[in-house]
Amino acid sequence: PQYVGDQIANNFSMTFDGSSYVDTGTSLGNALGSSVADMTVSLWYKNTIAANQGLFSIISSNSAGTTAPFSIQGSNGTSIYVYVGSSYKQYTVTHDTNWHHLSIVKNGTSLTTYIDGNSVTPTATSGSVPATIDTTNKITFIGLYFSTAYTYNGQIDEVAIFDTALNAGQIYND
């Protein structure tokens, strides 16, 4: 990846109304392989509701009756949760109605989250990040976590999934 500056004018984003979502129709496995050790997910998001949105999903990769190998969720105006396999990390954030850049970097058993280009420290964790995640037959959804109870209300833009762990400089210039 390389920073391209202001050469591209992007005036459009995906808008979610709390009941809509995007089913990409493909799995992370199709893009990254069936067993993923390193990856980066990068996107921009802007909440329509600043607080008390309840539990919502920004992006997830899962299928019926299975644990998602990867998911980014938010809750009640104060948290972002990143799930990798059966582990999670919680980050305290302020859900306002401004655009924010979010990047999640999985590098083996390490997980780093960047918000607006800055690495953030988790406020709670559970379990260990698995060395690899199984992405076989897990459909990737934007704005949904398999159940429509966890849909998103806001805008999401420039979703990118990389098959490598980007470094802090690459994230900052993403």
PDB file of all heavy atoms in Angstrom, residues 7-42:
ATOM      1  N   GLN A   7      -5.460  12.848  -4.423  1.00  0.00           N
ATOM      2  CA  GLN A   7      -5.677  12.630  -5.846  1.00  0.00           C
ATOM      3  C   GLN A   7      -7.047  12.055  -6.146  1.00  0.00           C
ATOM      4  O   GLN A   7      -7.530  12.158  -7.259  1.00  0.00           O
ATOM      5  CB  GLN A   7      -4.612  11.686  -6.398  1.00  0.00           C
ATOM      6  CG  GLN A   7      -3.208  12.225  -6.259  1.00  0.00           C
ATOM      7  CD  GLN A   7      -2.188  11.175  -6.654  1.00  0.00           C
ATOM      8  OE1 GLN A   7      -2.521  10.181  -7.284  1.00  0.00           O
ATOM      9  NE2 GLN A   7      -0.949  11.380  -6.284  1.00  0.00           N
ATOM     10  N   ILE A   8      -7.661  11.425  -5.151  1.00  0.00           N
ATOM     11  CA  ILE A   8      -8.928  10.759  -5.379  1.00  0.00           C
ATOM     12  C   ILE A   8     -10.015  11.475  -4.596  1.00  0.00           C
ATOM     13  O   ILE A   8      -9.910  11.642  -3.392  1.00  0.00           O
ATOM     14  CB  ILE A   8      -8.864   9.281  -4.941  1.00  0.00           C
ATOM     15  CG1 ILE A   8      -7.791   8.555  -5.733  1.00  0.00           C
ATOM     16  CG2 ILE A   8     -10.209   8.609  -5.086  1.00  0.00           C
ATOM     17  CD1 ILE A   8      -7.499   7.160  -5.255  1.00  0.00           C
ATOM     18  N   ALA A   9     -11.050  11.924  -5.282  1.00  0.00           N
ATOM     19  CA  ALA A   9     -12.184  12.555  -4.602  1.00  0.00           C
ATOM     20  C   ALA A   9     -13.232  11.479  -4.332  1.00  0.00           C
ATOM     21  O   ALA A   9     -13.740  10.853  -5.251  1.00  0.00           O
ATOM     22  CB  ALA A   9     -12.777  13.657  -5.468  1.00  0.00           C
ATOM     23  N   ASN A  10     -13.498  11.222  -3.083  1.00  0.00           N
ATOM     24  CA  ASN A  10     -14.476  10.207  -2.712  1.00  0.00           C
ATOM     25  C   ASN A  10     -15.619  10.895  -1.984  1.00  0.00           C
ATOM     26  O   ASN A  10     -15.473  11.313  -0.846  1.00  0.00           O
ATOM     27  CB  ASN A  10     -13.831   9.147  -1.819  1.00  0.00           C
ATOM     28  CG  ASN A  10     -14.808   8.052  -1.473  1.00  0.00           C
ATOM     29  OD1 ASN A  10     -15.984   8.102  -1.831  1.00  0.00           O
ATOM     30  ND2 ASN A  10     -14.332   7.062  -0.754  1.00  0.00           N
ATOM     31  N   ASN A  11     -16.749  11.017  -2.633  1.00  0.00           N
ATOM     32  CA  ASN A  11     -17.890  11.707  -2.054  1.00  0.00           C
ATOM     33  C   ASN A  11     -19.019  10.748  -1.686  1.00  0.00           C
ATOM     34  O   ASN A  11     -20.117  11.195  -1.399  1.00  0.00           O
ATOM     35  CB  ASN A  11     -18.410  12.752  -3.035  1.00  0.00           C
ATOM     36  CG  ASN A  11     -17.358  13.798  -3.333  1.00  0.00           C
ATOM     37  OD1 ASN A  11     -16.654  14.239  -2.433  1.00  0.00           O
ATOM     38  ND2 ASN A  11     -17.228  14.177  -4.588  1.00  0.00           N
ATOM     39  N   PHE A  12     -18.761   9.455  -1.701  1.00  0.00           N
ATOM     40  CA  PHE A  12     -19.811   8.494  -1.449  1.00  0.00           C
ATOM     41  C   PHE A  12     -19.364   7.480  -0.405  1.00  0.00           C
ATOM     42  O   PHE A  12     -18.184   7.177  -0.280  1.00  0.00           O
ATOM     43  CB  PHE A  12     -20.180   7.758  -2.748  1.00  0.00           C
ATOM     44  CG  PHE A  12     -20.597   8.698  -3.837  1.00  0.00           C
ATOM     45  CD1 PHE A  12     -19.698   9.073  -4.824  1.00  0.00           C
ATOM     46  CD2 PHE A  12     -21.873   9.227  -3.864  1.00  0.00           C
ATOM     47  CE1 PHE A  12     -20.062   9.947  -5.828  1.00  0.00           C
ATOM     48  CE2 PHE A  12     -22.254  10.104  -4.861  1.00  0.00           C
ATOM     49  CZ  PHE A  12     -21.349  10.465  -5.849  1.00  0.00           C
ATOM     50  N   SER A  13     -20.311   6.946   0.323  1.00  0.00           N
ATOM     51  CA  SER A  13     -20.032   5.901   1.304  1.00  0.00           C
ATOM     52  C   SER A  13     -21.260   5.011   1.397  1.00  0.00           C
ATOM     53  O   SER A  13     -22.320   5.341   0.874  1.00  0.00           O
ATOM     54  CB  SER A  13     -19.708   6.503   2.670  1.00  0.00           C
ATOM     55  OG  SER A  13     -20.825   7.221   3.161  1.00  0.00           O
ATOM     56  N   MET A  14     -21.113   3.878   2.079  1.00  0.00           N
ATOM     57  CA  MET A  14     -22.255   2.999   2.316  1.00  0.00           C
ATOM     58  C   MET A  14     -23.032   3.551   3.506  1.00  0.00           C
ATOM     59  O   MET A  14     -22.446   3.867   4.543  1.00  0.00           O
ATOM     60  CB  MET A  14     -21.786   1.577   2.627  1.00  0.00           C
ATOM     61  CG  MET A  14     -21.091   0.903   1.466  1.00  0.00           C
ATOM     62  SD  MET A  14     -20.473  -0.740   1.901  1.00  0.00           S
ATOM     63  CE  MET A  14     -18.952  -0.299   2.761  1.00  0.00           C
ATOM     64  N   THR A  15     -24.347   3.684   3.360  1.00  0.00           N
ATOM     65  CA  THR A  15     -25.191   4.209   4.430  1.00  0.00           C
ATOM     66  C   THR A  15     -26.072   3.087   4.950  1.00  0.00           C
ATOM     67  O   THR A  15     -26.719   2.376   4.173  1.00  0.00           O
ATOM     68  CB  THR A  15     -26.055   5.378   3.920  1.00  0.00           C
ATOM     69  OG1 THR A  15     -25.182   6.404   3.447  1.00  0.00           O
ATOM     70  CG2 THR A  15     -26.942   5.930   5.018  1.00  0.00           C
ATOM     71  N   PHE A  16     -26.096   2.940   6.283  1.00  0.00           N
ATOM     72  CA  PHE A  16     -26.860   1.885   6.940  1.00  0.00           C
ATOM     73  C   PHE A  16     -27.891   2.528   7.859  1.00  0.00           C
ATOM     74  O   PHE A  16     -27.573   3.464   8.592  1.00  0.00           O
ATOM     75  CB  PHE A  16     -25.918   0.975   7.732  1.00  0.00           C
ATOM     76  CG  PHE A  16     -24.875   0.329   6.862  1.00  0.00           C
ATOM     77  CD1 PHE A  16     -23.659   0.951   6.642  1.00  0.00           C
ATOM     78  CD2 PHE A  16     -25.128  -0.892   6.252  1.00  0.00           C
ATOM     79  CE1 PHE A  16     -22.706   0.373   5.821  1.00  0.00           C
ATOM     80  CE2 PHE A  16     -24.178  -1.475   5.425  1.00  0.00           C
ATOM     81  CZ  PHE A  16     -22.968  -0.851   5.210  1.00  0.00           C
ATOM     82  N   ASP A  17     -29.116   2.012   7.821  1.00  0.00           N
ATOM     83  CA  ASP A  17     -30.206   2.617   8.580  1.00  0.00           C
ATOM     84  C   ASP A  17     -30.636   1.808   9.804  1.00  0.00           C
ATOM     85  O   ASP A  17     -31.714   2.018  10.349  1.00  0.00           O
ATOM     86  CB  ASP A  17     -31.410   2.840   7.669  1.00  0.00           C
ATOM     87  CG  ASP A  17     -31.975   1.541   7.107  1.00  0.00           C
ATOM     88  OD1 ASP A  17     -31.530   0.441   7.506  1.00  0.00           O
ATOM     89  OD2 ASP A  17     -32.882   1.628   6.250  1.00  0.00           O
ATOM     90  N   GLY A  18     -29.814   0.887  10.258  1.00  0.00           N
ATOM     91  CA  GLY A  18     -30.161   0.065  11.405  1.00  0.00           C
ATOM     92  C   GLY A  18     -30.859  -1.224  11.019  1.00  0.00           C
ATOM     93  O   GLY A  18     -31.084  -2.096  11.853  1.00  0.00           O
ATOM     94  N   SER A  19     -31.220  -1.358   9.743  1.00  0.00           N
ATOM     95  CA  SER A  19     -31.798  -2.624   9.276  1.00  0.00           C
ATOM     96  C   SER A  19     -31.133  -3.100   7.985  1.00  0.00           C
ATOM     97  O   SER A  19     -31.290  -4.245   7.592  1.00  0.00           O
ATOM     98  CB  SER A  19     -33.309  -2.492   9.071  1.00  0.00           C
ATOM     99  OG  SER A  19     -33.587  -1.525   8.081  1.00  0.00           O
ATOM    100  N   SER A  20     -30.380  -2.242   7.328  1.00  0.00           N
ATOM    101  CA  SER A  20     -29.700  -2.621   6.087  1.00  0.00           C
ATOM    102  C   SER A  20     -28.288  -3.104   6.390  1.00  0.00           C
ATOM    103  O   SER A  20     -27.723  -2.798   7.432  1.00  0.00           O
ATOM    104  CB  SER A  20     -29.661  -1.424   5.129  1.00  0.00           C
ATOM    105  OG  SER A  20     -28.985  -0.335   5.731  1.00  0.00           O
ATOM    106  N   TYR A  21     -27.741  -3.869   5.464  1.00  0.00           N
ATOM    107  CA  TYR A  21     -26.373  -4.365   5.584  1.00  0.00           C
ATOM    108  C   TYR A  21     -25.901  -4.822   4.217  1.00  0.00           C
ATOM    109  O   TYR A  21     -26.692  -4.911   3.270  1.00  0.00           O
ATOM    110  CB  TYR A  21     -26.273  -5.514   6.590  1.00  0.00           C
ATOM    111  CG  TYR A  21     -27.108  -6.718   6.247  1.00  0.00           C
ATOM    112  CD1 TYR A  21     -26.587  -7.754   5.485  1.00  0.00           C
ATOM    113  CD2 TYR A  21     -28.435  -6.822   6.660  1.00  0.00           C
ATOM    114  CE1 TYR A  21     -27.345  -8.860   5.147  1.00  0.00           C
ATOM    115  CE2 TYR A  21     -29.204  -7.920   6.340  1.00  0.00           C
ATOM    116  CZ  TYR A  21     -28.657  -8.934   5.581  1.00  0.00           C
ATOM    117  OH  TYR A  21     -29.413 -10.021   5.259  1.00  0.00           O
ATOM    118  N   VAL A  22     -24.609  -5.116   4.107  1.00  0.00           N
ATOM    119  CA  VAL A  22     -24.042  -5.633   2.864  1.00  0.00           C
ATOM    120  C   VAL A  22     -23.553  -7.049   3.107  1.00  0.00           C
ATOM    121  O   VAL A  22     -22.757  -7.299   4.008  1.00  0.00           O
ATOM    122  CB  VAL A  22     -22.865  -4.751   2.379  1.00  0.00           C
ATOM    123  CG1 VAL A  22     -22.180  -5.381   1.181  1.00  0.00           C
ATOM    124  CG2 VAL A  22     -23.336  -3.347   2.060  1.00  0.00           C
ATOM    125  N   ASP A  23     -24.070  -7.974   2.329  1.00  0.00           N
ATOM    126  CA  ASP A  23     -23.589  -9.354   2.307  1.00  0.00           C
ATOM    127  C   ASP A  23     -22.624  -9.423   1.136  1.00  0.00           C
ATOM    128  O   ASP A  23     -23.036  -9.357  -0.018  1.00  0.00           O
ATOM    129  CB  ASP A  23     -24.769 -10.301   2.111  1.00  0.00           C
ATOM    130  CG  ASP A  23     -24.372 -11.756   1.994  1.00  0.00           C
ATOM    131  OD1 ASP A  23     -23.175 -12.047   1.779  1.00  0.00           O
ATOM    132  OD2 ASP A  23     -25.265 -12.608   2.095  1.00  0.00           O
ATOM    133  N   THR A  24     -21.331  -9.539   1.418  1.00  0.00           N
ATOM    134  CA  THR A  24     -20.346  -9.518   0.336  1.00  0.00           C
ATOM    135  C   THR A  24     -20.421 -10.759  -0.534  1.00  0.00           C
ATOM    136  O   THR A  24     -19.868 -10.780  -1.623  1.00  0.00           O
ATOM    137  CB  THR A  24     -18.912  -9.377   0.885  1.00  0.00           C
ATOM    138  OG1 THR A  24     -18.580 -10.554   1.613  1.00  0.00           O
ATOM    139  CG2 THR A  24     -18.776  -8.126   1.744  1.00  0.00           C
ATOM    140  N   GLY A  25     -21.085 -11.795  -0.022  1.00  0.00           N
ATOM    141  CA  GLY A  25     -21.218 -13.025  -0.793  1.00  0.00           C
ATOM    142  C   GLY A  25     -19.942 -13.835  -0.877  1.00  0.00           C
ATOM    143  O   GLY A  25     -19.866 -14.813  -1.611  1.00  0.00           O
ATOM    144  N   THR A  26     -18.935 -13.430  -0.151  1.00  0.00           N
ATOM    145  CA  THR A  26     -17.668 -14.145  -0.177  1.00  0.00           C
ATOM    146  C   THR A  26     -17.110 -14.231   1.238  1.00  0.00           C
ATOM    147  O   THR A  26     -17.549 -13.544   2.135  1.00  0.00           O
ATOM    148  CB  THR A  26     -16.657 -13.473  -1.131  1.00  0.00           C
ATOM    149  OG1 THR A  26     -15.544 -14.341  -1.328  1.00  0.00           O
ATOM    150  CG2 THR A  26     -16.190 -12.134  -0.602  1.00  0.00           C
ATOM    151  N   SER A  27     -16.143 -15.097   1.418  1.00  0.00           N
ATOM    152  CA  SER A  27     -15.548 -15.258   2.742  1.00  0.00           C
ATOM    153  C   SER A  27     -14.167 -14.639   2.776  1.00  0.00           C
ATOM    154  O   SER A  27     -13.545 -14.409   1.734  1.00  0.00           O
ATOM    155  CB  SER A  27     -15.450 -16.739   3.099  1.00  0.00           C
ATOM    156  OG  SER A  27     -14.439 -17.365   2.346  1.00  0.00           O
ATOM    157  N   LEU A  28     -13.698 -14.365   3.992  1.00  0.00           N
ATOM    158  CA  LEU A  28     -12.314 -13.921   4.133  1.00  0.00           C
ATOM    159  C   LEU A  28     -11.378 -14.973   3.558  1.00  0.00           C
ATOM    160  O   LEU A  28     -10.321 -14.649   3.030  1.00  0.00           O
ATOM    161  CB  LEU A  28     -11.965 -13.692   5.607  1.00  0.00           C
ATOM    162  CG  LEU A  28     -12.495 -12.434   6.260  1.00  0.00           C
ATOM    163  CD1 LEU A  28     -12.126 -12.417   7.739  1.00  0.00           C
ATOM    164  CD2 LEU A  28     -11.974 -11.200   5.579  1.00  0.00           C
ATOM    165  N   GLY A  29     -11.778 -16.230   3.658  1.00  0.00           N
ATOM    166  CA  GLY A  29     -10.963 -17.324   3.131  1.00  0.00           C
ATOM    167  C   GLY A  29     -10.711 -17.203   1.648  1.00  0.00           C
ATOM    168  O   GLY A  29      -9.639 -17.559   1.155  1.00  0.00           O
ATOM    169  N   ASN A  30     -11.691 -16.711   0.897  1.00  0.00           N
ATOM    170  CA  ASN A  30     -11.494 -16.524  -0.543  1.00  0.00           C
ATOM    171  C   ASN A  30     -10.424 -15.473  -0.818  1.00  0.00           C
ATOM    172  O   ASN A  30      -9.685 -15.563  -1.780  1.00  0.00           O
ATOM    173  CB  ASN A  30     -12.796 -16.122  -1.215  1.00  0.00           C
ATOM    174  CG  ASN A  30     -13.778 -17.257  -1.299  1.00  0.00           C
ATOM    175  OD1 ASN A  30     -13.420 -18.410  -1.094  1.00  0.00           O
ATOM    176  ND2 ASN A  30     -15.028 -16.939  -1.561  1.00  0.00           N
ATOM    177  N   ALA A  31     -10.358 -14.459   0.041  1.00  0.00           N
ATOM    178  CA  ALA A  31      -9.391 -13.384  -0.168  1.00  0.00           C
ATOM    179  C   ALA A  31      -8.044 -13.672   0.482  1.00  0.00           C
ATOM    180  O   ALA A  31      -7.005 -13.312  -0.062  1.00  0.00           O
ATOM    181  CB  ALA A  31      -9.955 -12.078   0.392  1.00  0.00           C
ATOM    182  N   LEU A  32      -8.067 -14.330   1.652  1.00  0.00           N
ATOM    183  CA  LEU A  32      -6.845 -14.465   2.436  1.00  0.00           C
ATOM    184  C   LEU A  32      -6.325 -15.885   2.564  1.00  0.00           C
ATOM    185  O   LEU A  32      -5.226 -16.092   3.049  1.00  0.00           O
ATOM    186  CB  LEU A  32      -7.079 -13.911   3.847  1.00  0.00           C
ATOM    187  CG  LEU A  32      -7.579 -12.480   3.952  1.00  0.00           C
ATOM    188  CD1 LEU A  32      -7.833 -12.119   5.403  1.00  0.00           C
ATOM    189  CD2 LEU A  32      -6.597 -11.521   3.320  1.00  0.00           C
ATOM    190  N   GLY A  33      -7.126 -16.866   2.196  1.00  0.00           N
ATOM    191  CA  GLY A  33      -6.764 -18.255   2.408  1.00  0.00           C
ATOM    192  C   GLY A  33      -7.543 -18.805   3.590  1.00  0.00           C
ATOM    193  O   GLY A  33      -8.121 -18.070   4.367  1.00  0.00           O
ATOM    194  N   SER A  34      -7.569 -20.111   3.744  1.00  0.00           N
ATOM    195  CA  SER A  34      -8.415 -20.734   4.768  1.00  0.00           C
ATOM    196  C   SER A  34      -7.850 -20.639   6.173  1.00  0.00           C
ATOM    197  O   SER A  34      -8.561 -20.797   7.144  1.00  0.00           O
ATOM    198  CB  SER A  34      -8.676 -22.194   4.416  1.00  0.00           C
ATOM    199  OG  SER A  34      -7.451 -22.898   4.387  1.00  0.00           O
ATOM    200  N   SER A  35      -6.576 -20.374   6.314  1.00  0.00           N
ATOM    201  CA  SER A  35      -5.953 -20.242   7.625  1.00  0.00           C
ATOM    202  C   SER A  35      -5.120 -18.963   7.635  1.00  0.00           C
ATOM    203  O   SER A  35      -4.108 -18.867   6.955  1.00  0.00           O
ATOM    204  CB  SER A  35      -5.068 -21.452   7.916  1.00  0.00           C
ATOM    205  OG  SER A  35      -4.482 -21.341   9.181  1.00  0.00           O
ATOM    206  N   VAL A  36      -5.566 -17.968   8.393  1.00  0.00           N
ATOM    207  CA  VAL A  36      -4.968 -16.644   8.339  1.00  0.00           C
ATOM    208  C   VAL A  36      -4.155 -16.370   9.598  1.00  0.00           C
ATOM    209  O   VAL A  36      -4.675 -16.447  10.704  1.00  0.00           O
ATOM    210  CB  VAL A  36      -6.068 -15.565   8.185  1.00  0.00           C
ATOM    211  CG1 VAL A  36      -5.467 -14.176   8.229  1.00  0.00           C
ATOM    212  CG2 VAL A  36      -6.824 -15.787   6.893  1.00  0.00           C
ATOM    213  N   ALA A  37      -2.876 -16.047   9.432  1.00  0.00           N
ATOM    214  CA  ALA A  37      -2.020 -15.675  10.554  1.00  0.00           C
ATOM    215  C   ALA A  37      -1.916 -14.157  10.669  1.00  0.00           C
ATOM    216  O   ALA A  37      -1.981 -13.605  11.753  1.00  0.00           O
ATOM    217  CB  ALA A  37      -0.634 -16.285  10.391  1.00  0.00           C
ATOM    218  N   ASP A  38      -1.751 -13.491   9.536  1.00  0.00           N
ATOM    219  CA  ASP A  38      -1.587 -12.036   9.517  1.00  0.00           C
ATOM    220  C   ASP A  38      -2.640 -11.409   8.620  1.00  0.00           C
ATOM    221  O   ASP A  38      -2.924 -11.914   7.526  1.00  0.00           O
ATOM    222  CB  ASP A  38      -0.209 -11.653   8.968  1.00  0.00           C
ATOM    223  CG  ASP A  38       0.934 -12.202   9.797  1.00  0.00           C
ATOM    224  OD1 ASP A  38       0.716 -12.497  10.988  1.00  0.00           O
ATOM    225  OD2 ASP A  38       2.044 -12.340   9.249  1.00  0.00           O
ATOM    226  N   MET A  39      -3.211 -10.289   9.078  1.00  0.00           N
ATOM    227  CA  MET A  39      -4.163  -9.552   8.254  1.00  0.00           C
ATOM    228  C   MET A  39      -4.367  -8.167   8.848  1.00  0.00           C
ATOM    229  O   MET A  39      -4.050  -7.919  10.017  1.00  0.00           O
ATOM    230  CB  MET A  39      -5.507 -10.265   8.155  1.00  0.00           C
ATOM    231  CG  MET A  39      -6.307 -10.328   9.442  1.00  0.00           C
ATOM    232  SD  MET A  39      -7.845 -11.226   9.206  1.00  0.00           S
ATOM    233  CE  MET A  39      -9.012 -10.030   9.796  1.00  0.00           C
ATOM    234  N   THR A  40      -4.873  -7.268   8.027  1.00  0.00           N
ATOM    235  CA  THR A  40      -5.243  -5.932   8.464  1.00  0.00           C
ATOM    236  C   THR A  40      -6.603  -5.618   7.870  1.00  0.00           C
ATOM    237  O   THR A  40      -6.831  -5.850   6.685  1.00  0.00           O
ATOM    238  CB  THR A  40      -4.222  -4.875   7.993  1.00  0.00           C
ATOM    239  OG1 THR A  40      -2.930  -5.220   8.509  1.00  0.00           O
ATOM    240  CG2 THR A  40      -4.604  -3.483   8.458  1.00  0.00           C
ATOM    241  N   VAL A  41      -7.502  -5.109   8.703  1.00  0.00           N
ATOM    242  CA  VAL A  41      -8.795  -4.611   8.242  1.00  0.00           C
ATOM    243  C   VAL A  41      -8.805  -3.120   8.519  1.00  0.00           C
ATOM    244  O   VAL A  41      -8.511  -2.681   9.637  1.00  0.00           O
ATOM    245  CB  VAL A  41      -9.966  -5.303   8.959  1.00  0.00           C
ATOM    246  CG1 VAL A  41     -11.289  -4.685   8.537  1.00  0.00           C
ATOM    247  CG2 VAL A  41      -9.956  -6.792   8.674  1.00  0.00           C
ATOM    248  N   SER A  42      -9.099  -2.343   7.499  1.00  0.00           N
ATOM    249  CA  SER A  42      -9.081  -0.891   7.597  1.00  0.00           C
ATOM    250  C   SER A  42     -10.381  -0.335   7.039  1.00  0.00           C
ATOM    251  O   SER A  42     -10.872  -0.812   6.008  1.00  0.00           O
ATOM    252  CB  SER A  42      -7.885  -0.360   6.800  1.00  0.00           C
ATOM    253  OG  SER A  42      -7.891   1.045   6.767  1.00  0.00           O
TER     254      SER A  42
END
